[in-house]
Coordinates of all heavy atoms in Angstrom, one line a residue:
G40 N 7.0 -12.7 8.2 CA 5.8 -12.2 8.8 C 5.9 -12.1 10.3 O 5.3 -11.2 10.9
I41 N 6.6 -13.0 10.9 CA 6.8 -12.9 12.4 C 7.6 -11.7 12.7 O 7.2 -11.0 13.7 CB 7.4 -14.2 12.9 CG1 6.4 -15.4 12.8 CG2 7.9 -14.1 14.3 CD1 7.0 -16.8 13.1
L42 N 8.6 -11.4 11.9 CA 9.4 -10.2 12.2 C 8.6 -9.0 12.0 O 8.7 -8.0 12.8 CB 10.6 -10.2 11.3 CG 11.8 -11.1 11.7 CD1 12.8 -11.1 10.6 CD2 12.4 -10.7 13.0
I43 N 7.7 -8.9 11.0 CA 6.9 -7.8 10.8 C 5.9 -7.6 12.0 O 5.8 -6.5 12.5 CB 6.1 -7.9 9.5 CG1 7.0 -7.7 8.3 CG2 4.9 -6.9 9.5 CD1 6.3 -8.1 7.0
L44 N 5.3 -8.7 12.5 CA 4.4 -8.6 13.6 C 5.1 -8.2 14.9 O 4.6 -7.4 15.7 CB 3.7 -9.9 13.8 CG 2.7 -10.3 12.7 CD1 2.1 -11.7 13.0 CD2 1.6 -9.2 12.7
L45 N 6.3 -8.7 15.1 CA 7.1 -8.3 16.3 C 7.5 -6.8 16.2 O 7.4 -6.1 17.2 CB 8.4 -9.2 16.4 CG 8.2 -10.6 16.9 CD1 9.5 -11.4 16.8 CD2 7.6 -10.6 18.3
G46 N 7.9 -6.3 15.0 CA 8.2 -4.9 14.9 C 7.0 -4.0 15.1 O 7.1 -3.0 15.9
L47 N 5.9 -4.4 14.6 CA 4.7 -3.6 14.8 C 4.2 -3.6 16.3 O 3.8 -2.6 16.9 CB 3.5 -4.1 13.9 CG 3.7 -3.7 12.4 CD1 2.6 -4.4 11.6 CD2 3.7 -2.2 12.2
T48 N 4.4 -4.8 16.9 CA 4.0 -4.9 18.3 C 5.0 -4.1 19.2 O 4.5 -3.4 20.1 CB 4.1 -6.4 18.8 OG1 3.3 -7.2 18.0 CG2 3.7 -6.6 20.2
A49 N 6.3 -4.0 18.9 CA 7.2 -3.2 19.6 C 6.9 -1.7 19.5 O 6.9 -1.0 20.4 CB 8.6 -3.5 19.1
L50 N 6.5 -1.3 18.3 CA 6.1 0.1 18.0 C 4.8 0.4 18.8 O 4.7 1.5 19.4 CB 5.9 0.4 16.6 CG 7.2 0.5 15.7 CD1 6.9 0.6 14.3 CD2 8.0 1.7 16.2
W51 N 3.9 -0.5 18.8 CA 2.6 -0.3 19.5 C 2.9 -0.2 21.0 O 2.4 0.7 21.7 CB 1.7 -1.4 19.3 CG 0.3 -1.2 20.0 CD1 0.0 -1.6 21.2 CD2 -0.8 -0.6 19.5 NE1 -1.3 -1.2 21.5 CE2 -1.8 -0.6 20.5 CE3 -1.1 0.0 18.2 CZ2 -3.1 0.0 20.3 CZ3 -2.4 0.6 18.1 CH2 -3.3 0.5 19.1
N52 N 3.7 -1.0 21.6 CA 4.0 -1.0 23.0 C 4.9 0.2 23.4 O 4.7 0.7 24.5 CB 4.8 -2.3 23.5 CG 3.9 -3.5 23.5 OD1 2.7 -3.3 23.6 ND2 4.4 -4.6 23.2
H53 N 5.7 0.7 22.5 CA 6.5 1.9 22.8 C 5.7 3.1 22.9 O 5.8 3.9 23.8 CB 7.6 2.0 21.7 CG 8.4 3.3 21.9 ND1 9.2 3.5 22.9 CD2 8.5 4.4 21.1 CE1 9.8 4.7 22.8 NE2 9.4 5.2 21.7
E54 N 4.8 3.3 21.9 CA 4.0 4.5 21.8 C 2.7 4.2 21.1 O 2.6 4.4 19.9 CB 4.8 5.6 21.1 CG 4.1 6.9 21.0 CD 4.9 8.0 20.3 OE1 6.1 7.8 20.0 OE2 4.3 9.0 19.9
P55 N 1.7 3.7 21.8 CA 0.4 3.4 21.1 C -0.2 4.7 20.6 O -0.3 5.7 21.3 CB -0.4 2.8 22.2 CG 0.3 2.9 23.5 CD 1.6 3.4 23.2
P56 N -0.7 4.7 19.4 CA -1.3 5.9 18.8 C -2.7 6.1 19.4 O -3.5 5.2 19.7 CB -1.4 5.6 17.3 CG -1.5 4.1 17.2 CD -0.7 3.6 18.4
P67 N 4.6 6.4 14.8 CA 5.4 5.5 14.2 C 4.7 4.2 13.8 O 5.0 3.6 12.8 CB 6.5 5.2 15.2 CG 6.5 6.4 16.1 CD 5.1 6.9 16.1
F68 N 3.8 3.7 14.7 CA 3.1 2.5 14.4 C 2.2 2.6 13.1 O 2.3 1.7 12.3 CB 2.2 2.1 15.6 CG 1.3 0.9 15.3 CD1 1.8 -0.3 15.4 CD2 0.0 1.1 14.9 CE1 1.0 -1.4 15.1 CE2 -0.8 0.0 14.6 CZ -0.3 -1.3 14.7
I69 N 1.5 3.7 13.0 CA 0.6 3.8 11.8 C 1.5 4.0 10.6 O 1.1 3.4 9.5 CB -0.3 5.1 12.0 CG1 -1.2 4.9 13.2 CG2 -1.1 5.3 10.7 CD1 -2.2 3.8 13.1
R70 N 2.5 4.7 10.6 CA 3.4 4.9 9.5 C 4.0 3.6 9.0 O 4.0 3.2 7.9 CB 4.5 5.9 9.7 CG 3.9 7.3 9.8 CD 5.0 8.3 10.1 NE 6.1 8.2 9.1 CZ 6.6 9.2 8.5 NH1 6.2 10.4 8.7 NH2 7.6 9.0 7.6
Q71 N 4.5 2.8 10.0 CA 5.1 1.5 9.7 C 4.1 0.5 9.1 O 4.4 -0.2 8.2 CB 5.8 0.9 10.9 CG 6.6 -0.3 10.6 CD 7.8 0.0 9.7 OE1 8.3 1.1 9.7 NE2 8.2 -1.0 9.0
A72 N 2.9 0.6 9.7 CA 1.8 -0.3 9.2 C 1.5 0.0 7.7 O 1.2 -0.9 6.9 CB 0.6 -0.2 10.1
A73 N 1.5 1.3 7.4 CA 1.2 1.7 6.0 C 2.3 1.2 5.1 O 2.0 0.7 4.0 CB 1.1 3.3 5.9
F74 N 3.6 1.3 5.6 CA 4.7 0.8 4.7 C 4.6 -0.7 4.6 O 4.9 -1.2 3.5 CB 6.0 1.2 5.3 CG 6.4 2.7 5.2 CD1 6.7 3.4 6.3 CD2 6.3 3.3 4.0 CE1 7.0 4.8 6.2 CE2 6.6 4.6 3.8 CZ 7.0 5.4 4.9
V75 N 4.1 -1.4 5.6 CA 4.0 -2.9 5.5 C 2.9 -3.2 4.4 O 3.1 -4.1 3.6 CB 3.6 -3.5 6.9 CG1 3.1 -4.9 6.7 CG2 4.8 -3.4 7.8
I76 N 1.8 -2.5 4.4 CA 0.8 -2.7 3.4 C 1.3 -2.5 2.0 O 1.1 -3.3 1.1 CB -0.5 -1.8 3.7 CG1 -1.1 -2.3 5.0 CG2 -1.4 -1.9 2.6 CD1 -2.2 -1.4 5.6
L79 N 3.7 -5.3 1.1 CA 3.0 -6.5 0.7 C 2.4 -6.5 -0.7 O 2.4 -7.5 -1.4 CB 1.9 -6.9 1.8 CG 2.4 -7.3 3.1 CD1 1.3 -7.5 4.1 CD2 3.3 -8.5 3.0

Side-chain angles (χ1 to χ4, degrees):
I41 291 171
L42 284 173
I43 288 170
L44 290 175
L45 286 174
L47 288 173
T48 304
L50 286 173
W51 181 272
N52 288 332
H53 174 65
E54 184 181 343
F68 174 80
I69 299 294
R70 290 179 55 131
Q71 188 66 27
F74 287 129
V75 165
I76 291 169
L79 290 176

